[in-house]
Amino acid sequence: MIRIQISRQLALIIASLVAITFYKFWLADVYSLRAIYAPQDDYLFINLARNILDGNWLGEYNQYTLMKGLFYPLWIAFINLFEIPLLTAQQLLYALSCTIFLLAINPHVKNKWWLILIYAFLIFNPLSIGVDRVLRLGIYPSLTILVFTCAYGLYSRSISARSSSIWWAVGLGISLAAFWHTREERIWIMPSLAMLLGVGLLQAIYKYKTKAVGFVLIYMTPVVIVYSSTLSLSYINWKHYRIFTPLEIGTEEFKSAYSGLLRIRTETFIRHYPVTHETINKASNVSPAFREIKPALLAKSGEYPSLNFGMRASHFIWTLRDSVQASGYYNFEHAIDPKDIPETLDLYKRIGHEIHTACDSGKLDCATLLNPFFPQWRMEDNAQILPTLNQTVTRLVTWGGFDYKVNDMRSEPFYPETNMLETLLLFRSVTNESLRPHRRNAANYLPEFEQDRIHVKRKTVRNIWRNFYQRLSPVFFIVFSILIIFRFIYEVISRRLQTMTTFSVALLGGILSHSLIMTLIQINAFTEVLRRSQFTVYPVLIMFIVTGFIVSNEAIRQFRTNNKDKD
């Protein structure tokens, strides 16, 4: 018989972590899932997951099928198999990511009782509670924690030549693959990963020269897993739709057409409106392929009063695809001669080729883009970078822009359901959740005791947010940013680089990288991206503050040791 013995301290710590987790779940239960018929968000993910569960892969291919990363609908379908409610599963994933973070940093925490406080600080992140829709925000922060944590686990264990480094490498590969196929702005995390893994590999090879090949193979494991996941999704899509890609906007054909339209210069500049009616007219003059979709594109722009002079950046990527579908592509069932997916990609290819050729020959006055999806950058935009970056970082570290007193539905767009009963039944079947319809006055129909319970929980979350995170985070962020930067420089110069210091710098780099990307998007594309996109960086901010305390403590211990040696 195998007996497992644990110390009293460990037992109490585990019991405390479990109690904290249950309390977090109780707080998070304040929100019921909203069944929203948003064809580009909630309903899209639900419909894709439904098709996966039905054994039809992603279902009938249309303009939305491969518009967003596939991991979230796969996650929804996977959770459904175990009949776990979606919001509960997302809270479990977040708790798991926090626990793995504790395991990764555990060797650096001398007083193990601090693990309880660290866990509470991370798991009570207020933004991990308020997601009550079927959105990727429900898992993206958890995946971010897992990617950073597993990367650090691989780095720290490999330079100690521990056999567990291979498991951290596998964990990094799985979490990074899920992260990579969840949202499209994933590139922000790569500088931090490159730093962590690059420094880790160099230190490991330098320290254990005879094991260099083994370390290279271990560090290649995450790359192989991520690449294999991309190839697998691409192959499945090719098998079903004859399109070899995990994401349609990543195809050269679509990027060519989209970037071609963004390149065209116009006499009138309207910020956040990269494609105006003038752009459409100029494109149609040089592109016969674009003329096929011009009527549908103009009709779509007329559906929105704000688009009467052009296409807002936040809408255009969707409006373009809707227009292509309305013109008979994407297997449009109402078309006289519906075009299949290869023919749709060929249309994008022809549009891109014709516009880019006109640009290169001088028929059109065109700009050079920083990125195929990024509107034209003007010299006067440079003056806005620092002020906007400052506002973005300030909003992050002060936890600004969120108020749990406000009824969250007041700030949400209203999506009319085409069939309310059908929508509720579909959401209920796929998510296993108790639902409430997306109505601004839905809470008024709840019993009084339930309204009181919701009020107590929201007030608790608000107090946690304002009294702890909002007040303490700015101070800690400023202090630890200065401390860690100087500490990192000192360790590099003295050639005594510590793993926790490197991890802290990587986390700080992730915060700044994400903030810089959001800054550029706000200046030149659209401002409404900020609120949702910052959800994923709040856990990084918390991890940075935690590592700041650890680095400070290690620096103090080293200072005391040096003084004793001198004495």
Side-chain angles (χ1 to χ4, degrees), residues 141-247:
S142 303
L143 296 178
T144 303
I145 295 174
L146 288 172
V147 170
F148 273 108
T149 299
C150 291
Y152 174 69
L154 171 58
Y155 165 41
S156 60
R157 271 63 174 182
S158 63
I159 65 172
S160 301
R162 297 184 186 179
S163 59
S164 62
S165 59
I166 182 62
W167 298 111
W168 288 104
V170 172
L172 174 60
I174 295 173
S175 58
L176 183 57
F179 178 93
W180 199 255
H181 295 293
T182 297
R183 286 186 64 89
E184 295 72 51
E185 77 278 6
R186 60 224 172 172
I187 195 67
W188 69 268
I189 205 170
M190 295 311 295
S192 296
L193 290 184
M195 176 188 176
L196 269 179
L197 301 183
V199 171
L201 181 59
L202 290 175
Q203 283 187 308
I205 292 176
Y206 180 79
K207 192 174 182 179
Y208 307 100
K209 295 181 177 62
T210 58
K211 301 180 179 179
V213 175
F215 283 122
V216 171
L217 292 176
I218 290 175
Y219 273 74
M220 284 299 295
T221 300
V223 178
V224 172
I225 293 175
V226 174
Y227 191 65
S228 298
S229 69
T230 302
L231 288 179
S232 298
L233 291 174
S234 299
Y235 173 74
I236 296 173
N237 289 331
W238 171 260
K239 186 177 179 181
H240 285 82
Y241 308 120
R242 313 307 293 175
I243 175 173
F244 192 79
T245 183
L247 197 65

Side-chain angles (χ1 to χ4, degrees), residues 1 16 159 181 190 198 219 297 309 356 375 425 463 471 558:
M1 182 176 179
S16 299
I159 65 172
H181 295 293
M190 295 311 295
Y219 273 74
L297 193 59
F309 47 81
H356 286 298
L425 290 175
N463 289 337
R471 290 185 180 180
Q558 182 183 5

Side-chain angles (χ1 to χ4, degrees), residues 269-489:
F269 171 77
I270 307 174
R271 186 173 300 281
H272 301 153
Y273 287 79
V275 177
T276 64
H277 288 173
E278 183 183 352
T279 309
I280 295 173
N281 291 330
K282 286 188 174 184
S284 63
N285 289 336
V286 299
S287 173
F290 184 76
R291 284 198 290 271
E292 290 185 44
I293 67 169
K294 179 182 177 181
L297 193 59
L298 291 175
K300 283 289 180 182
S301 67
E303 294 178 7
Y304 304 95
S306 62
L307 303 183
N308 55 8
F309 47 81
M311 307 289 175
R312 191 170 178 84
S314 56
H315 297 154
F316 178 60
I317 197 167
W318 298 102
T319 306
L320 174 63
R321 298 164 67 83
D322 288 341
S323 303
V324 171
Q325 190 247 16
S327 301
Y329 293 84
Y330 287 112
N331 295 318
F332 188 41
E333 58 183 5
H334 300 297
I336 298 176
D337 180 23
K339 307 295 192 303
D340 60 16
I341 307 312
E343 290 175 305
T344 302
L345 291 181
D346 181 67
L347 173 71
Y348 285 128
K349 181 179 180 180
R350 287 186 287 119
I351 291 174
H353 175 73
E354 289 162 0
I355 293 178
H356 286 298
T357 300
C359 289
D360 296 339
S361 65
K363 290 183 179 180
L364 287 177
D365 182 16
C366 299
T368 301
L369 303 181
L370 300 175
N371 179 280
F373 298 99
F374 200 70
Q376 300 171 25
W377 186 266
R378 304 181 308 152
M379 291 300 296
E380 50 265 41
D381 294 333
N382 294 335
Q384 299 186 49
I385 293 178
L386 290 180
T388 308
L389 178 61
N390 178 62
Q391 293 173 6
T392 302
V393 175
T394 300
R395 181 185 175 111
L396 172 68
V397 301
T398 60
W399 297 75
F402 305 96
D403 194 335
Y404 285 86
K405 285 196 308 183
V406 178
N407 184 343
D408 51 350
M409 287 194 295
R410 293 176 186 171
S411 60
E412 291 281 358
F414 183 74
Y415 299 93
E417 290 81 357
T418 56
N419 188 324
M420 189 62 197
L421 179 60
E422 179 183 340
T423 300
L424 286 173
L425 290 175
L426 177 61
F427 273 67
R428 173 67 182 85
S429 300
V430 174
T431 66
N432 293 306
E433 279 285 354
S434 58
L435 303 174
R436 63 184 170 96
H438 185 55
R439 293 287 186 267
R440 290 183 172 87
N441 61 344
N444 297 334
Y445 296 100
L446 294 174
E448 186 175 347
F449 75 88
E450 181 66 14
Q451 294 188 38
D452 292 341
R453 184 182 301 164
I454 291 175
H455 174 73
V456 170
K457 291 183 179 182
R458 289 194 176 187
K459 184 177 180 181
T460 302
V461 174
R462 175 178 169 78
N463 289 337
I464 293 173
W465 162 59
R466 295 202 64 177
N467 296 331
F468 293 95
Y469 293 89
Q470 197 171 46
R471 290 185 180 180
L472 299 179
S473 293
V475 177
F476 290 144
F477 178 78
I478 294 172
V479 172
F480 290 144
S481 294
I482 298 172
L483 170 68
I484 287 171
I485 290 174
F486 279 101
R487 180 70 184 176
F488 180 73
I489 295 173

